[in-house]
Amino acid sequence: MVDTILQKAQTAFLSYKRINGKEKARFLRAIADEIENLGPNLIEVIAQETHLSESRIVSERSRTTGHCRMFASLVEEGSWVEARWDTALPNRTPTPQPDIRKMLHPLGPVVVFGAANFPLAYSTAGGDTASALAAGCPVVVKGHPAHPATSAMVAQAIDQAARHTGMPEGVFQHVSGGIEIGQALVAHPLTRAVGFTGSLAGGKALFDLAQQRPVPIPVFAEMSSINPVILLPTSLQTNPELPAKALAASLTTGMGQFCTCPGLVMGVRSAGLDQFIDHYLRAVQSVAPGPMLHSGIAENYYQRVHQTVTATKVTNLLPANPRGNPLHGHPGVAMVAAADFLMTPSLQEEVFGPFALVVICEDRHELTQVISHLPGQLTCTLWGEEAEIQQYSGWLNLLMEKAGRLIINGVPTGVEVCPSMQHGGPFPATTDARFTAVGPDAIKRFVRPIAYQNFPDSLLPAELQPHNPLGIWRIKDGQWGKD
Amino acid sequence: MVDTILQKAQTAFLSYKRINGKEKARFLRAIADEIENLGPNLIEVIAQETHLSESRIVSERSRTTGHCRMFASLVEEGSWVEARWDTALPNRTPTPQPDIRKMLHPLGPVVVFGAANFPLAYSTAGGDTASALAAGCPVVVKGHPAHPATSAMVAQAIDQAARHTGMPEGVFQHVSGGIEIGQALVAHPLTRAVGFTGSLAGGKALFDLAQQRPVPIPVFAEMSSINPVILLPTSLQTNPELPAKALAASLTTGMGQFCTCPGLVMGVRSAGLDQFIDHYLRAVQSVAPGPMLHSGIAENYYQRVHQTVTATKVTNLLPANPRGNPLHGHPGVAMVAAADFLMTPSLQEEVFGPFALVVICEDRHELTQVISHLPGQLTCTLWGEEAEIQQYSGWLNLLMEKAGRLIINGVPTGVEVCPSMQHGGPFPATTDARFTAVGPDAIKRFVRPIAYQNFPDSLLPAELQPHNPLGIWRIKDGQWGKD
C-alpha cells in the first residue's frame, strides 16, 4: 500500500512541481474554502473527537484557513524562491564567467504527521501540509489516530479542492494506520522529507529512521519544550501580580495542551517572588478543571505530574487532581530549589498539560546556572524592566542559545502566523533549529536551490526570465531589485 | 584535548557572536591579506605537498582570498540576516498582535574538515571556514593530513588576522590528528555544526556520528558526484568535435581531481556519437600524464579504474596507465552499453581522477532510463540545441531531480563563486541538498533564526532597530524594503 501511495505521489510531483504560483494559490485558497464549506458539521466532529470548546475550534479553523491563504499569497507573489542571477562576463580573464541563475524548487513527496493537540492547524491541512503544497511538494498525511473522523473530513476537503482546481491526482493523499504505516512512509525511497509535530519519543524515532535510510532525508520534527520563564527582581518588586496572572492564563489556556505552554518559572528568592507565587497559585487555582483532548493524554499528564511532584525535594504547591473525571485536566504547580532542580534531569522534561514547576534560585549566580543547564526550547520568556535586562544582558545572550523565540514581558502561547515568527528551536525542541514550522518561512523546509548555467531563456522558469515577468524580488549581479 | 578546544571555542562564541558585521568583515579581509602576505613561500609549500602547478595554486589562492572578501562584503552589507519585522497591532480583536522581529544568528562552534584536492579553497581557510566565521561561528579546523604544512601556515595566517583585528581568542583553532580526533570533535557536545569536503565513506561516517549524538547536529558533507553529461542527437550531428574537446579538457584539467569532474557521458547510438567518441578519445589522449595530489589518491585512482574497466561488458577505450611513475595520473576512458550500465550499480560510483565512462543507449527511451537511475549529483550537463531540449523537456524535468546545478552546452568544472551558484545536490552528492558549499548562501548552513517578541528597541540588535541604521533589506509587515 505504501509503495502505491508514494509512486502516485511521485507521479504527481513530476507535474505538480511545474505548476505556477498562481495556480498553486488557487488550490490553497480552495482548500481554505472547502474547509469553511464543511460548516458546523466539522465543528461538531472535532468537538466530539477532541473535547475542545467550540470557540477554540472556530479560532483554530480560522488559523488554518488563514495559513492556507497566507501560503497562497506567498507563492502568488513569488519572491520566496530566492531568485539570483549572475549575468555572463564573456570578456573576463583568464576565463569568461557563464550566465548562472538560481531559484528554490520543491524537494518531492513530503510525509506529514499531524498533532493530537491541533486537529486542524497542525494536522491534515496544517502548517506542514500547507507549506509543502505551497512549495510544490505532493503531501501524504498520516492521519492522527486521536481524531480520525476530523482528519478524514479535512482530507476530503483537500481532495475536493484539488479536483476543482485541476491539480494532478496524488497531489494529496491521506492514510490512516498505526506506527508501522508511519515508519514505512518515512522509509520509502520516494519520500523526500518529513514534517512531524508530537512527542519527543515519536519525533526522535522517525528522525532516526530517516537518517538511517540508504538515502537520508530531512525531518523537521517539533517535539518538546518547557518554555522557561525568568522573573527578574524589579518586575517582582513593582507588580508581581501582573506576570502571575498572565502566566497563569498562559499555563491553563486550552488545558495547557500547547507546545508553547510555560511549564517552568524561575526567579531569585525574595519577598517579591513569594508574592508572585501567591498570586500565581490563586490565579491557577481559579481555573476550573476541564476535559483534555483524550483519555490517553490525561492519563499521561497525571502520571508525569506524579513523577515530578514525587521527585526528591519537590514541594507540591497545587496538586493536580482529576476529581473523579479521569478525562478532566486540573492545573498543578510545584516548587523546587535550584540546587535540587540542577541535580534532577527529569525535572527538565516536558509535562504535557497545565503543570508548572517553580524553581527558586538563591542568587543571580544560581539563576545563571539554571539557565545554562536548560536544553533547547521553542521559547524563553523574560519578565523584567528594560534597565535591569540591559544590566544583565549576559542572560539574554545565554537565552539566545536556548530557544528559537525570546519574549519580554509577555507569554509564549499564542503563536502568531507571520513572517517574523520562529517556531522552532535547538534540540529537543525540534530536530533542526534552522527552520520554522510556522509562518511563510516554513516553506524553506521543503525546497532546495537549483542553479541553471548557460541556459537559453526559453528553457528557464518564469522566475528567472530576463525581464522578470512575475515582478519578483531577485538578486541580480549582487543587487536586490525587481529589474 | 578536544574538550579544551571546544570549551575555548564556546567561550569565544559568546563574544564573537555579538561582533558586528563591519568588524567581522575586517577580520575576513585580514585573513585574505595574511594569506597573500605568505607570498611565494606558501606556493612552494603547497607545490611540495600537493604537486599542483604554480599557476593552479596561484589561481586557487585568489579564489580563497576572493571568498574571504566576498563574505566580508556580505556581512558588512548585512542584508543576509533575513530580517523580518511585524509591528504590533494593539487593537486587533480578539487578541492584540505583539511586536515580533526575527533575524539569523550563528549556531555556535563549527568543525571543518578540509579537502585533499583544494589545499586552500576547501581547506583551512576554505569556503566552510570563511562562511562559518562570517556567520559568527568560531571554527575548529581539522587539518588535512595530505598537506599538513600548508594547513599550519594558513592557520597561522588566520591566527594573525584574528589577533590584528582584536577577535576573541579561540575564534579559530587548528588541530592535526587522525580519524579519532575528527570523530571526537564531531561528537563533542559543544560542537554545533560540521562542514566536510571529501569522500563518501568519510562524509557519511561523520554524518552518521553526528545524527547519533544525544543532541544531533547538522552536517553539510560534500562527498561524491560523477557529473553526468547527456549528449543529444542534433548536437552530435552538427559538431561533435565541440563537446568532445570541451569535455576532454574538463575531464583532464587538474588531473580530474575535482568534485565536478564529468565522469559519465551518455548518448544514443549514432554516427554522430561515434564521431564524438573519436574526437573525445583523441583529445583525452593528447593530455600528458601528470602528478596527482599524492600517491594514495593515485593508487586509489588506478584501483577504481581497474575495477570499472574489468566489470562485465565494459570496453576499455583508452587505458589509464601510470607508465612507470606511480604518482602520475593518466586519463582513461571506457565504454559500456546502457543495459549493462543499468545492471551494474558500481559503475555509478565516483572514480576520483581523470576517468570517464561513456554509456551507449539504444534509443531515447533507454537514455531516459539511464537518467532515471542516476543517484544524486552536484551537476548534470546537457549538450544539445535549444529546440531539441525544448522538445524533450521531460529530460530537463528529470535532471532537475538529480542535481543541484544544470548546465547546457558547457562543462561542470569551474565552479563560480557567486550568489547564483548552487554547489550541493541530492545524496550522495551532499548530505543536505537544501544548502550550498559555494557562494554567499553557504553562510545559511551555520545560522538559525531567532524571533524577538515584545522587545524594547534598546535590547534589539542593530539589524532590527526601527530606523534600520544599517540600511539593510528587510521584510516589514510583509513588504520588502529598506524602511
Side-chain angles (χ1 to χ4, degrees):
Chain A
M1 183 185 81
V2 163
D3 186 56
T4 312
I5 289 165
L6 265 310
Q7 292 287 356
K8 210 165 148 185
Q10 175 65 15
T11 304
F13 175 54
L14 289 177
S15 57
Y16 186 57
K17 69 171 183 164
R18 305 176 84 180
I19 284 175
N20 67 40
K22 286 201 172 21
E23 286 182 68
K24 284 191 290 188
R26 280 183 58 221
F27 176 33
L28 288 160
R29 291 202 180 99
I31 294 174
D33 294 343
E34 292 294 341
I35 289 172
E36 283 165 358
N37 288 346
L38 295 170
N41 196 4
L42 178 66
I43 311 287
E44 275 164 41
V45 168
I46 297 177
Q48 270 168 24
E49 287 192 324
T50 66
H51 310 100
L52 292 173
S53 70
E54 187 183 322
S55 67
R56 154 70 194 271
I57 298 170
V58 168
S59 101
E60 194 181 323
R61 183 179 59 183
S62 66
R63 183 189 180 110
T64 307
T65 54
H67 68 219
C68 290
R69 288 173 180 134
M70 176 194 74
F71 282 113
S73 302
L74 185 78
V75 296
E76 190 171 53
E77 193 278 331
S79 299
W80 72 274
V81 300
E82 299 181 2
R84 282 106 169 82
W85 178 14
D86 293 288
T87 52
L89 299 172
N91 301 320
R92 190 182 67 174
T93 53
T95 51
Q97 175 172 302
D99 181 287
I100 314 178
R101 312 184 201 190
K102 180 171 80 167
M103 64 177 276
L104 297 172
H105 284 278
L107 288 180
V110 172
V111 170
V112 170
F113 293 83
N117 61 337
F118 278 96
L120 291 172
Y122 289 92
S123 200
T124 315
D128 290 355
T129 298
S131 57
L133 289 177
C137 300
V139 169
V140 179
V141 165
K142 155 90 168 57
H144 198 287
H147 47 255
T150 304
S151 202
M153 275 181 88
V154 174
Q156 273 175 18
I158 301 175
D159 282 339
Q160 192 103 320
R163 269 196 307 278
H164 285 178
T165 55
M167 294 297 129
E169 214 197 316
V171 71
F172 174 83
Q173 295 175 86
H174 181 252
V175 193
S176 321
I179 290 172
E180 296 72 24
I181 296 280
Q183 289 170 334
L185 289 170
V186 171
H188 194 282
L190 291 172
T191 300
R192 286 282 169 266
V194 177
F196 171 92
T197 309
S199 71
L200 177 55
K204 184 60 165 53
L206 292 179
F207 173 80
D208 289 344
L209 181 63
Q211 303 322 309
Q212 288 156 14
R213 291 165 43 121
V215 174
I217 51 171
V219 173
F220 186 87
E222 196 253 270
M223 303 180 296
S224 169
S225 183
I226 54 175
N227 305 295
V229 178
I230 294 109
L231 302 165
L232 297 186
T234 52
S235 86
L236 294 173
Q237 269 160 29
T238 48
N239 188 359
E241 197 176 350
L242 189 69
K245 287 193 162 166
L247 290 168
S250 177
L251 177 73
T252 55
T253 183
M255 266 305 134
Q257 298 166 112
F258 292 119
C259 43
T260 52
C261 179
L264 191 72
V265 181
M266 62 186 83
V268 173
R269 188 185 294 283
S270 66
L273 185 59
D274 290 343
Q275 284 181 302
F276 165 86
I277 293 172
D278 280 350
H279 288 295
Y280 186 59
L281 291 176
R282 216 169 302 148
V284 173
Q285 207 157 16
S286 73
V287 176
M292 297 192 79
L293 286 158
H294 58 82
S295 56
I297 282 191
E299 264 169 49
N300 180 63
Y301 170 65
Y302 288 110
Q303 195 185 324
R304 290 284 298 117
V305 169
H306 179 76
Q307 283 167 358
T308 304
V309 299
T310 55
T312 318
K313 299 194 178 167
V314 170
T315 310
N316 202 354
L317 295 178
L318 182 67
N321 188 329
R323 304 190 186 169
N325 188 337
L327 181 68
H328 272 200
H330 183 265
V333 179
M335 186 172 73
V336 69
D340 300 311
F341 177 78
L342 288 170
M343 282 191 303
T344 317
S346 67
L347 296 180
Q348 300 194 7
E349 289 166 18
E350 188 181 50
V351 176
F352 192 75
F355 175 80
L357 185 65
V358 181
V359 177
I360 313 292
C361 305
E362 290 309 315
D363 51 28
R364 287 172 192 276
H365 172 72
E366 207 174 44
L367 183 54
T368 307
Q369 265 191 303
V370 172
I371 297 172
S372 303
H373 278 77
L374 291 171
Q377 307 288 342
L378 290 170
T379 73
C380 285
T381 302
L382 207 50
W383 278 81
E385 297 197 354
E386 194 170 336
E388 185 181 31
I389 299 174
Q390 268 176 325
Q391 197 185 342
Y392 298 96
S393 64
W395 279 334
L396 214 50
N397 204 11
L398 260 182
L399 287 175
M400 282 172 65
E401 299 316 311
K402 299 297 180 183
R405 180 163 55 110
L406 303 175
I407 301 141
I408 289 184
N409 299 332
V411 296
T413 47
V415 180
E416 294 292 334
V417 183
C418 60
S420 61
M421 178 47 61
Q422 170 61 10
H423 192 67
F427 188 91
T430 69
T431 45
D432 195 340
R434 296 176 297 176
F435 296 94
T436 177
V438 174
D441 286 338
I443 200 172
K444 294 189 184 183
R445 298 174 295 173
F446 304 124
V447 290
R448 65 182 176 94
I450 298 182
Y452 300 87
Q453 184 169 323
N454 198 34
F455 266 54
D457 294 340
S458 73
L459 294 172
L460 286 163
E463 287 85 347
L464 300 177
Q465 291 292 330
H467 300 298
N468 196 6
L470 304 182
I472 60 174
W473 288 98
R474 313 194 290 190
I475 297 182
K476 184 182 168 190
D477 292 327
Q479 300 299 317
W480 275 102
K482 290 189 167 190
D483 284 354
Chain B
M1 183 184 83
V2 163
D3 187 56
T4 313
I5 290 165
L6 266 311
Q7 293 287 354
K8 212 166 147 186
Q10 176 65 15
T11 304
F13 175 54
L14 289 178
S15 57
Y16 185 57
K17 70 172 183 164
R18 305 176 83 178
I19 284 176
N20 67 39
K22 284 197 174 22
E23 287 183 68
K24 283 190 292 188
R26 279 184 58 224
F27 176 32
L28 287 160
R29 290 201 181 100
I31 293 174
D33 294 344
E34 292 294 343
I35 289 172
E36 283 166 357
N37 288 345
L38 294 171
N41 196 4
L42 177 67
I43 311 287
E44 274 164 43
V45 169
I46 297 177
Q48 269 167 24
E49 287 192 323
T50 65
H51 310 99
L52 291 173
S53 70
E54 189 184 319
S55 66
R56 154 68 194 270
I57 298 170
V58 168
S59 101
E60 193 181 324
R61 183 178 62 184
S62 66
R63 184 189 179 111
T64 307
T65 55
H67 69 218
C68 290
R69 290 177 178 130
M70 176 195 73
F71 282 113
S73 302
L74 185 79
V75 297
E76 191 172 52
E77 192 278 332
S79 299
W80 72 275
V81 301
E82 299 180 2
R84 282 102 169 86
W85 177 13
D86 293 287
T87 53
L89 299 171
N91 301 320
R92 191 185 62 177
T93 52
T95 52
Q97 173 172 303
D99 180 288
I100 314 179
R101 311 183 204 192
K102 180 171 81 165
M103 64 177 274
L104 297 173
H105 284 279
L107 288 179
V110 171
V111 171
V112 171
F113 293 83
N117 61 338
F118 278 97
L120 291 172
Y122 288 91
S123 198
T124 316
D128 290 356
T129 299
S131 57
L133 289 176
C137 300
V139 169
V140 179
V141 165
K142 156 92 168 53
H144 198 285
H147 48 254
T150 304
S151 201
M153 276 180 86
V154 174
Q156 273 175 18
I158 301 174
D159 282 339
Q160 192 103 320
R163 271 197 306 276
H164 286 179
T165 55
M167 293 298 127
E169 214 197 316
V171 71
F172 173 83
Q173 294 175 87
H174 181 251
V175 193
S176 320
I179 291 171
E180 297 72 25
I181 296 279
Q183 289 170 334
L185 289 169
V186 172
H188 194 281
L190 290 173
T191 300
R192 286 281 169 269
V194 177
F196 172 93
T197 310
S199 71
L200 176 56
K204 183 60 166 51
L206 293 178
F207 173 80
D208 289 344
L209 181 63
Q211 303 322 308
Q212 287 156 14
R213 292 164 42 121
V215 173
I217 52 172
V219 173
F220 185 87
E222 195 253 271
M223 303 180 295
S224 170
S225 183
I226 52 173
N227 304 294
V229 178
I230 294 110
L231 302 166
L232 298 187
T234 53
S235 87
L236 293 174
Q237 268 159 30
T238 49
N239 188 359
E241 198 176 349
L242 189 69
K245 286 193 163 168
L247 291 168
S250 178
L251 176 73
T252 56
T253 184
M255 264 307 131
Q257 297 166 112
F258 292 119
C259 44
T260 53
C261 179
L264 192 71
V265 180
M266 63 186 84
V268 173
R269 189 185 296 281
S270 64
L273 185 58
D274 290 343
Q275 283 181 304
F276 165 85
I277 293 173
D278 280 349
H279 288 295
Y280 185 60
L281 291 177
R282 218 170 302 149
V284 174
Q285 205 160 15
S286 73
V287 176
M292 296 193 79
L293 287 157
H294 58 82
S295 56
I297 282 190
E299 262 168 52
N300 180 62
Y301 170 64
Y302 289 109
Q303 197 185 324
R304 290 284 299 117
V305 169
H306 180 76
Q307 283 167 357
T308 304
V309 299
T310 55
T312 318
K313 299 196 179 167
V314 171
T315 310
N316 201 354
L317 295 178
L318 182 66
N321 187 330
R323 302 189 187 174
N325 189 335
L327 181 69
H328 272 200
H330 183 265
V333 179
M335 186 172 74
V336 68
D340 299 313
F341 177 79
L342 289 170
M343 283 191 303
T344 317
S346 67
L347 296 180
Q348 300 195 4
E349 290 166 17
E350 188 180 49
V351 175
F352 192 75
F355 176 80
L357 185 64
V358 181
V359 177
I360 313 291
C361 306
E362 291 308 315
D363 51 27
R364 287 170 193 279
H365 172 70
E366 206 176 45
L367 182 55
T368 307
Q369 265 190 302
V370 172
I371 297 173
S372 303
H373 279 77
L374 292 172
Q377 307 288 340
L378 290 171
T379 72
C380 286
T381 302
L382 206 50
W383 279 82
E385 297 197 353
E386 194 171 337
E388 186 181 30
I389 300 174
Q390 269 177 323
Q391 197 185 340
Y392 298 95
S393 64
W395 279 333
L396 215 49
N397 204 13
L398 259 180
L399 287 175
M400 284 173 65
E401 299 316 310
K402 300 296 179 182
R405 179 164 55 109
L406 303 176
I407 301 141
I408 288 185
N409 299 333
V411 296
T413 48
V415 180
E416 294 292 333
V417 184
C418 60
S420 61
M421 179 46 61
Q422 169 61 10
H423 193 66
F427 188 92
T430 69
T431 46
D432 195 340
R434 295 176 298 174
F435 296 94
T436 177
V438 174
D441 286 338
I443 200 171
K444 295 190 183 181
R445 297 173 296 172
F446 304 124
V447 290
R448 66 182 176 93
I450 298 181
Y452 299 87
Q453 183 169 324
N454 199 32
F455 266 55
D457 294 340
S458 73
L459 293 171
L460 285 164
E463 287 85 347
L464 300 176
Q465 291 292 332
H467 300 298
N468 195 6
L470 304 182
I472 60 174
W473 287 98
R474 312 194 291 192
I475 297 181
K476 183 181 170 191
D477 293 326
Q479 299 299 318
W480 276 102
K482 288 189 166 191
D483 284 354

